[in-house]
Amino acid sequence: ALFRDSLAGDGKAPLDLAPVNEILDSIPPDRRGNSEFIVGEFLLNRGRTDEARRLLQRCAGDDATFVWFRTIAAANLRGTEGAKTP
């Protein structure tokens, strides 16, 4: 529902990270990487680079995360070097 609400209307409403972080925090750390990937990519695709980078860094460094998620996260992190959220 949080992603849907952010995409509703013109699709420019920012994703409210407070409830998203509560959900992520409820997932055991050793199983959180896959979810962090999804949220990180969503934020990255919305121009929220700084917030996305934090999640993608954790995802890329987590051996328990699905290998393709780690690979994509690492590649996308390289693409954000020097970028800042406007």
Side-chain angles (χ1 to χ4, degrees):
L2 297 170
F3 284 76
R4 182 197 65 220
D5 292 348
S6 176
L7 294 169
D10 63 5
K12 295 182 181 180
L15 178 64
D16 184 0
L17 285 182
V20 171
N21 287 329
E22 283 182 35
I23 293 167
L24 289 174
D25 290 343
S26 74
I27 301 169
D30 61 331
R31 292 190 273 154
R32 195 177 294 167
N34 294 327
S35 297
E36 289 174 331
F37 172 79
I38 300 298
V39 177
E41 288 296 313
F42 185 87
L43 293 171
L44 187 62
N45 288 327
R46 299 255 152 328
R48 295 172 68 178
T49 308
D50 296 335
E51 295 153 314
R53 190 178 294 119
R54 177 182 58 86
L55 294 167
L56 294 175
Q57 284 172 335
R58 289 197 307 227
C59 168
D62 182 1
D63 290 338
T65 300
F66 183 58
V67 66
W68 285 109
F69 285 0
R70 289 194 327 257
T71 303
I72 294 166
N76 286 343
L77 281 167
R78 285 192 297 276
T80 66
E81 291 175 4
K84 294 277 185 196
T85 298

